[in-house]
Amino acid sequence: MPLAIYILALAAFVVGTQSYVFSGLLADLAADLGVSVSTAGQLIAAFAITSAIASPLVVTALSRFERKKVLIASLAGVSIINLVTAFLPVFEGFLAARVVVAIVSAGVMPMAGAIGASLVPAERQGQALGIILSGLTIAFIVGVPLGTVVGSAFGWRSTFVFAAIVALAVIPAITFLVPTSTADDTPPKSDWSVLKKPVVLLGLFLIGTSFIAAYPIITYLGPIITAATGLEGAGIGAMQSAIGFGSIGGLIVGSILADRRAFIPNMRVMYLLFALVLGTWSFVFLTDNAGTWFKIALVAVVIFLTSATLIAPSPAIEKALVQADPKQSALTLALNTSVIYLGQGVGAGIGGLVVGSIGFAALGHVGAGIAFVAFIAALMAKAR
């Protein structure tokens, strides 16, 4: 695999890190800015919603420019905005800054994916895209926790300085180690007619449904862990690390299968497994031995499998989106990013309704039911 693919994964690492780098110190941020923790959480929601809307629009607006230059300019903007954010005095300023940085960073993942796909032959695009996606996962294992450590030592504002430095540090590597691809010589204008292709619609539906199914659980994972195991504080953090390791496992398996199996049969198997794994969350609450090592191990395994089966289809879906029309790969990958963020928001909303009306134990059944809809869609799709 070309070195440039791994460098492009660093761009994904920047996006994942700067998106949630302050989340571990959200209570400190809220206290200093004079708002409630729930209000401070709007910084994350504002970023996700803006990213969902902005990603395809930004890529469309910048489609006439060389992809590598857009990627570098986006990372430079992310660095500058995060640095400025660190010194803002009021919450409203932070909220506006998160909206702006969401717009500026909206082109990073689509451009990185499009460049990466153009640097390898078609039979290796699944693995290349999986490696680039791994940057997001590593950000949650390394980048975000490291930002929390920096913020704990130097104050929560330093987390934004840390994010700015990370973004800035990646730019020289992309400038000198990522070649300008042939596609960048005459970058095509975005053509939204690519949405008429069935494989594009199916891929976007599947990835969006994935996150709608999983995020009722992921959004409330902290309270779920406490309710199921009795763990709190650092114990929750340790259990949450299973998300990152599961995602890496899912990317490795998903990347290999994306290049070895046909798209539709691949999706049928993956989404059936995904639905079964989500259903085990309700089983977790039926085992009445909270706090025991068995229950803790059970929850950790289910977290690992949830993140693995959530992420595993991504390389194959992104490969299908790229190959549907290679000239429009930046746009289709931007739409992919958009539906992921929308799925997270919708899933979190559904989770809130379920927890408030029924309780945690029903989340597994709800998530499994939504995932099963994706399985049915894959089952009904024509394997062409």
Side-chain angles (χ1 to χ4, degrees):
M1 195 63 65
L3 174 62
I5 300 299
Y6 297 94
I7 300 301
L8 291 169
L10 294 177
F13 177 82
V14 169
V15 172
T17 298
Q18 76 91 33
S19 298
Y20 300 100
V21 70
F22 60 92
S23 60
L25 299 171
L26 198 62
D28 294 342
L29 181 153
D32 281 358
L33 295 179
V35 297
S36 65
V37 173
S38 61
T39 299
Q42 293 178 10
L43 295 175
I44 296 174
F47 179 88
I49 293 171
T50 304
S51 295
I53 298 171
S55 190
L57 299 179
V58 167
V59 168
T60 298
L62 300 177
S63 63
R64 71 187 69 179
F65 300 103
E66 183 183 307
R67 291 168 178 172
K68 180 178 171 180
K69 290 181 178 179
V70 172
L71 179 59
I72 292 172
S74 297
L75 291 172
V78 167
S79 180
I80 293 169
I81 295 168
N82 273 283
L83 185 61
V84 171
T85 302
F87 301 97
L88 294 174
V90 295
F91 175 76
E92 290 76 13
F94 277 84
L95 193 61
R98 296 311 291 170
V99 169
V100 173
V101 81
I103 296 172
V104 172
S105 66
V108 173
M109 287 301 297
M111 293 300 174
I115 294 170
S118 70
L119 296 177
V120 297
E123 63 271 14
R124 302 191 70 189
Q125 286 180 342
Q127 294 181 54
L129 291 167
I131 290 171
I132 294 171
L133 281 170
S134 71
L136 288 175
T137 298
I138 296 172
F140 286 99
I141 298 176
V142 179
V144 174
L146 187 57
T148 301
V149 171
V150 170
S152 298
F154 301 103
W156 62 268
R157 290 180 181 271
S158 65
T159 61
F160 293 97
V161 177
F162 171 75
I165 293 173
V166 169
L168 187 63
V170 171
I171 292 175
I174 293 175
T175 301
F176 297 108
L177 298 177
V178 175
T180 300
S181 66
T182 305
D184 283 333
D185 294 338
T186 54
K189 293 183 178 180
S190 294
D191 183 0
W192 286 68
S193 65
V194 72
L195 282 172
K196 296 179 180 179
K197 298 192 174 187
V199 70
V200 174
L201 292 175
L202 177 63
L204 295 176
F205 175 79
L206 291 177
I207 198 69
T209 305
S210 295
F211 283 84
I212 294 174
Y215 259 70
I217 294 169
I218 293 176
T219 300
Y220 295 93
L221 191 57
I224 287 173
I225 292 172
T226 299
T229 67
L231 294 176
E232 297 179 346
I236 293 176
M239 296 285 280
Q240 286 177 321
S241 66
I243 295 176
F245 292 109
S247 297
I248 290 177
L251 281 174
I252 293 173
V253 175
S255 298
I256 294 172
L257 293 178
D259 290 333
R260 293 186 180 180
R261 286 175 55 87
F263 178 62
I264 296 299
N266 207 2
M267 294 299 99
R268 289 169 180 168
V269 173
M270 286 187 173
Y271 278 96
L272 180 58
L273 289 175
F274 185 43
L276 292 174
V277 168
L278 289 180
T280 60
W281 278 105
S282 291
F283 168 76
V284 164
F285 283 93
L286 297 177
T287 56
D288 189 19
N289 49 1
T292 67
W293 284 109
F294 170 79
K295 187 65 172 289
I296 292 172
L298 175 64
V299 173
V301 168
V302 175
I303 293 173
F304 179 93
L305 291 175
T306 298
S307 59
T309 52
L310 168 65
I311 298 299
S314 293
I317 291 174
E318 290 201 357
K319 180 178 179 179
L321 294 175
V322 168
Q323 293 189 347
D325 187 344
K327 292 183 178 180
Q328 297 302 321
S329 58
L331 176 59
T332 53
L333 291 177
L335 291 167
N336 181 69
T337 300
S338 182
V339 297
I340 286 174
Y341 280 119
L342 286 173
Q344 291 174 357
V346 173
I350 291 173
L353 292 174
V354 173
V355 171
S357 58
I358 304 175
F360 291 131
L363 289 175
H365 295 313
V366 171
I370 296 171
F372 195 74
V373 172
F375 166 70
I376 295 298
L379 196 64
M380 297 176 64
K382 294 181 180 180
R384 291 187 298 179

